[in-house]
Amino acid sequence: VQLVESGGGLVQAGGSLTLSCAVSGFPFDDFAIGWFRQVPGREREGIAEISNRDGTTNYADSARGRFTISSDSFKNTVTLQMNDLKSEDTAVYYCAAEYGWPAHPLSVDSYDYWGQGTQVTVSL
């Protein structure tokens, strides 16, 4: 099982970034993919997740209205489109996979497989 994030970088406040999570090693359509982020010294937090089976999505309040998660089963890729970025969005972003649907929404403990992360930095 492998998840590889890409698309992080430096962006000005108000700008946009698109993160991608390329997955391999498991049946893509049977899994849910979540995006999480972590700032040094703070707990990892869930921000969005999607079911590859039926397209169900779930967002944290901090992401709703600004971020969009989508899934492409042909490319085995899940994308997180982030708009109107704020300085508080600065973090390392991780994608994670869980068979079916996570037992608890946007919970770190509900996901079994993780990528290595990609840094997103939003400057003022």
Side-chain angles (χ1 to χ4, degrees), residues 36 49 58 98 101-111:
F36 296 76
E49 60 198 353
N58 186 34
E98 174 64 15
W101 188 248
H104 301 285
L106 298 174
S107 169
V108 170
D109 293 338
S110 294
Y111 282 81

Side-chain angles (χ1 to χ4, degrees), residues 5-68:
E5 303 93 339
S6 62
L10 175 65
V11 63
Q12 287 187 330
S16 299
L17 274 178
T18 302
L19 304 183
S20 293
C21 176
V23 303
S24 60
F26 57 84
F28 184 80
D29 290 346
D30 288 342
F31 279 72
I33 303 296
W35 280 99
F36 296 76
R37 65 187 183 188
Q38 189 168 23
V39 175
R42 298 180 63 179
E43 292 186 354
R44 191 170 298 188
E45 64 166 334
I47 53 176
E49 60 198 353
I50 186 168
S51 166
N52 290 332
R53 284 178 176 173
D54 61 12
T56 299
T57 58
N58 186 34
Y59 293 91
D61 289 343
S62 59
R64 191 173 295 111
R66 297 188 300 128
F67 296 0
T68 302

